[in-house]
Amino acid sequence: MLAEIISVVAAVGVTGLATSVRVVRQYERGLVFRFGRVRPAVREPGLTLLLPGADRLQKVNMQIITLPVPAQEGITRDNVTVRVDAVVYFKVIDPVVAAVNVQDYRFAVGQVAQTSLRSIIGKSDLDDLLSNRERLNQGLELMIDSPALDWGVHIDRVEIKDVALPESMKRSMSRQAEAERERRARVISADGELQASHKLSEAAGIMADTPAALQLRLLETVVQVAAEKNSTLVLPFPVELLRFLERQTTQPEKSAERQVNGQAPAPRQPEESAPG
């Protein structure tokens, strides 16, 4: 009879000990509620003892939590409709405040992140959303972190993931980029033509001082054309001969014009005989 009583007491003790011992993991902290009131001492990782029937243990995760923010649609300051989504990284720094002051800190952080993202969209231009995300991320982090401190939560960082634009805006931006590239190409081409004209002007001045340079340039051009093995035939023609033919063609035209106008032709100058 005594042995049975001892065995029953031992079984009850083992059961009570099993129900009063809890394990807190390394990345967690334990909060003890004794008769509904939270104990100020936070239980560290390891084994922790509870009073059976009086204490209740609540574990709080202290790891960094990744919370995706659903895409929010808004109108930017320059009246462009966009959809922006983001991701928030945060962690609990005060488990007592996170468990007591807010019912669900994950849900609360998610809601304030959505409203803050909408506010950022309305205060920013489209160019800022596309090219100046670092500053927007910092502003969004400050907007979320301000109320989160009262919940025992610290916002580690906030990143804007994607900015979705309407198809009409994408086409307009594509045309704008194409026009900008075409403008740059024309400016570069015009600049090259200007520099080439300066060089050609200097070359023309040098060739005017040395007529033989013009002949050498003509021969070089003939060599370049002949090296291409095409059907083009190039005949070098002296410039002096062209000028002589031009003078011979101009003189009969002037004589005929004088005859039509009733003027006597100009007397021909006698040619000087060469000395014998």
Side-chain angles (χ1 to χ4, degrees):
M1 185 66 182
L2 182 61
E4 294 179 357
I5 296 174
I6 294 175
S7 61
V8 171
V9 171
V12 172
V14 170
T15 304
L17 181 63
T19 56
S20 63
V21 175
R22 294 289 186 273
V23 177
V24 180
R25 296 184 180 91
Q26 181 65 37
Y27 55 86
E28 296 176 337
R29 296 296 182 269
L31 300 181
V32 176
F33 290 86
R34 180 167 297 173
F35 298 110
R37 297 178 62 88
V38 62
R39 305 293 295 176
V42 178
R43 302 299 174 90
E44 297 295 330
L47 291 176
T48 182
L49 296 178
L50 304 176
L51 293 179
D55 293 346
R56 184 177 62 86
L57 181 67
Q58 179 178 347
K59 299 177 182 179
V60 179
N61 194 329
M62 304 296 291
Q63 291 176 312
I64 293 179
I65 301 174
T66 302
L67 180 65
V69 181
Q72 302 297 312
E73 185 172 352
I75 300 177
T76 61
R77 192 165 56 181
D78 48 355
N79 298 325
V80 178
T81 303
V82 295
R83 290 178 60 87
V84 182
D85 57 352
V87 58
V88 180
Y89 302 90
F90 68 95
K91 63 180 179 180
V92 177
I93 58 176
D94 193 340
V96 176
V97 175
V100 175
N101 288 8
V102 61
Q103 182 180 11
D104 187 352
Y105 60 87
R106 292 175 62 97
F107 180 76
V109 171
Q111 293 300 309
V112 74
Q114 294 181 29
T115 56
S116 299
L117 185 57
R118 285 178 176 270
S119 178
I120 283 291
I121 294 174
K123 294 178 181 178
S124 304
D125 295 330
L126 179 61
D127 293 338
D128 292 336
L129 290 175
L130 296 177
S131 60
N132 197 9
R133 293 189 181 183
E134 187 66 27
R135 185 178 63 83
L136 295 180
N137 291 337
Q138 294 176 359
L140 189 58
E141 178 181 345
L142 292 176
M143 293 178 66
I144 302 175
D145 192 51
S146 179
L149 290 176
D150 296 334
W151 305 332
V153 176
H154 171 66
I155 305 300
D156 190 67
R157 64 184 304 168
V158 182
E159 295 287 342
I160 294 177
K161 294 172 58 178
D162 187 27
V163 179
L165 301 176
E167 292 298 328
S168 59
M169 180 57 63
K170 291 181 180 179
R171 290 193 295 268
S172 299
M173 294 177 66
S174 177
R175 291 195 299 268
Q176 179 183 1
E178 184 178 357
E180 179 65 21
R181 289 193 295 267
E182 185 177 356
R183 182 189 68 84
R184 293 180 182 178
R186 290 183 178 181
V187 169
I188 293 174
S189 178
D191 192 15
E193 293 291 339
L194 179 61
Q195 296 179 8
S197 63
H198 291 328
K199 296 298 181 181
L200 290 176
S201 177
E202 295 177 3
I206 296 175
M207 290 182 180
D209 297 336
T210 55
L214 183 61
Q215 300 296 332
L216 293 175
R217 181 61 180 168
L218 179 61
L219 293 176
E220 184 181 356
T221 304
V222 173
V223 171
Q224 292 178 356
V225 173
E228 296 179 359
K229 298 180 181 181
N230 51 22
S231 60
T232 304
L233 181 62
V234 178
L235 296 177
F237 207 71
V239 180
E240 290 78 4
L241 183 57
L242 292 175
R243 292 175 180 172
F244 173 75
L245 293 176
E246 182 181 2
R247 287 197 299 270
Q248 295 299 323
T249 305
T250 305
Q251 288 180 0
E253 291 178 356
K254 291 182 178 180
S255 300
E257 185 179 355
R258 290 192 185 96
Q259 291 178 3
V260 170
N261 295 333
Q263 298 178 359
R268 185 176 182 180
Q269 299 294 333
E271 297 180 356
E272 295 181 359
S273 58

